[in-house]
Amino acid sequence: MTASAASPARPPRRERSATESLLSVVLILEAIVVVFGMLVIFGLRVVEPVVAFTGGAALILLLVLATRIVRYPWGQWVGHGLQLVLLATVLLEILAGVAAAIFVGFWIWALVKGRQLDAAKRAP
């Protein structure tokens, strides 16, 4: 008996939409930027170290988890909410808010372009 006959065939992977893929990439890039932002907030002593690292870690976790749910319309709304949270970092540090605004622009572009690509793929 061969190895392939002994193990059951794996079901094919679900095809991801362009919108889901692009939004997931933006969320992962935002999580990476939050790591550096967390270190800056800590280094500038804007808030207590525990607050900086706990808040940063929580935001990173939420961003990574959001990559799994952006395939659903409600998951995209969760992503929109996370963009507002990122923009709120301007209250801690101006340049963090500037970086967040740039990534919100990426988020909007990914949403619009992904929907255009998905619509073009569905068209005959």
Side-chain angles (χ1 to χ4, degrees):
M1 189 181 321
T2 64
S4 62
S7 63
R10 297 173 89 182
R13 291 184 69 171
R14 179 183 63 82
E15 186 175 338
R16 296 174 65 173
S17 68
T19 304
E20 179 185 355
S21 296
L22 290 172
L23 292 178
S24 294
V25 168
V26 172
L27 287 168
I28 291 297
L29 290 173
E30 286 175 339
I32 293 168
V33 168
V34 169
V35 169
F36 295 116
M38 176 178 60
L39 293 173
V40 168
I41 298 294
F42 164 71
L44 293 176
R45 303 204 193 303
V46 175
V47 294
E48 293 295 318
V50 173
V51 174
F53 289 117
T54 305
L59 186 53
I60 291 165
L61 180 64
L62 289 173
L63 289 166
V64 170
L65 290 175
T67 63
R68 305 296 293 166
I69 61 172
V70 291
R71 71 173 130 175
Y72 306 110
W74 60 268
Q76 292 178 10
W77 283 103
V78 170
H80 298 332
L82 288 172
Q83 301 310 304
L84 292 175
V85 170
L86 285 173
L87 283 175
T89 60
V90 74
L91 300 173
L92 295 174
E93 176 62 35
I94 295 292
L95 291 179
V98 171
I102 291 169
F103 274 94
V104 167
F106 289 153
W107 175 264
I108 293 168
W109 175 85
L111 190 65
V112 171
K113 189 49 116 174
R115 288 181 178 171
Q116 286 175 351
L117 290 170
D118 292 336
K121 188 174 182 180
R122 283 190 303 268

